[in-house]
Amino acid sequence: MLILPAFNSAAEESTFKVAWTDSNGNNVVNLNVRNGPKGEDIGSIYLSGEGIINDVQSWKARDAVEACQLDYDITIYPETFEFIDLP
């Protein structure tokens, strides 16, 4: 399994890529966390991801917290990525 974190602090964005090969073929998971605009007491954060098997997108996900007055955080721990090859 290959884990490639990439950080872009200027844009307050983090991108993670995990790649492995199993019985389905070549797998890639891409995750992206981006901080949105912030006001005096509000902020936003966005999460997107996709799973690709043999160069074909098999799933994608998007989530967001917008105009939030509470503290928020999305932390991705690349060392905890795990895959299970189900029969």
Side-chain angles (χ1 to χ4, degrees):
M1 178 168 36
L2 175 65
I3 301 173
L4 301 172
F7 303 98
N8 183 346
S9 60
E12 296 188 50
E13 186 170 332
S14 300
T15 303
F16 300 88
K17 178 178 182 177
V18 179
W20 71 94
T21 301
D22 62 15
S23 63
N24 293 315
N26 297 321
N27 298 265
V28 177
V29 171
N30 295 305
L31 297 175
N32 181 272
V33 178
R34 179 177 55 87
N35 287 327
K38 292 184 179 180
E40 187 172 317
D41 289 327
I42 62 169
S44 302
I45 194 165
Y46 303 92
L47 171 68
S48 61
E50 66 177 347
I52 300 169
I53 300 174
N54 296 322
D55 298 323
V56 176
Q57 185 179 61
S58 63
W59 61 267
K60 72 179 183 176
R62 301 182 121 194
D63 200 1
V65 175
E66 296 181 316
C68 183
Q69 295 179 352
L70 303 174
D71 289 337
Y72 53 83
D73 179 52
I74 297 176
T75 302
I76 296 176
Y77 299 95
E79 64 276 4
T80 65
F81 279 26
E82 179 180 23
F83 67 90
I84 299 171
D85 193 8
L86 299 175

